Amino acid sequence: MGQTFLTGSKFKIINSMKKILFTDKAPAPIGPYNQAVLVGNTLYTSGQIALNPATMELVLDDIETETKQVMENMKAVLESAEMTFDHVVKTTIFIMDMNDFARINSVYGSYFDEATAPARETVQVAGLPKGVNVEISMIAVR
């Protein structure tokens, strides 16, 4: 049963606890997963990469621009659940090169109040989808 949740956003109720969220303001999934799953008051997001949701083209000009696109995609997913970055309690950042950490962290940090920032881990990986340099996932609670 699909229902309108917010403009450009939809959710599908799987059972009384699990709702699948979708917004056209973030990239459509490119595999067998959903943008986010809402269970009760907890939102679990899939990892976002730097795909422009309008064109589904990668935004890879530089690591700062790439990270900003990832965070804007994540913002759209959070908004589809009527949440903001203030609701985020945990993030996971996957990066290809730990030498990019400071530049990624600078952009990432601009979306949070440092005093109430979420818990986080950042890990360097051997590869990411579509050859991107950064992927971020989040858990948020209302």
Side-chain angles (χ1 to χ4, degrees), residues 73-129:
N73 292 346
M74 193 57 67
K75 179 180 178 183
V77 172
L78 290 167
E79 287 175 349
S80 76
E82 298 181 331
M83 294 186 187
T84 68
F85 287 107
D86 290 337
H87 292 96
V88 176
V89 297
K90 177 78 166 61
T91 63
T92 302
I93 302 175
F94 303 98
I95 61 177
M96 288 293 296
D97 185 348
M98 199 55 79
N99 292 317
D100 289 333
F101 176 80
R103 294 172 19 201
I104 291 168
N105 196 50
S106 178
V107 175
Y108 166 90
S110 71
Y111 286 82
F112 294 99
D113 174 356
E114 192 169 328
T116 59
R120 176 186 85 188
E121 68 260 335
T122 302
V123 294
Q124 181 173 318
V125 296
L128 288 168

Side-chain angles (χ1 to χ4, degrees), residues 59-76:
V59 178
L60 303 176
D61 302 336
D62 55 55
I63 196 65
E64 290 87 358
T65 304
E66 183 176 350
T67 305
K68 183 176 189 324
Q69 183 66 56
V70 170
M71 294 300 287
E72 289 298 310
N73 292 346
M74 193 57 67
K75 179 180 178 183

Side-chain angles (χ1 to χ4, degrees), residues 1-3 11-13:
M1 150 170 84
Q3 301 176 17
F11 72 91
K12 182 176 182 178
I13 298 173

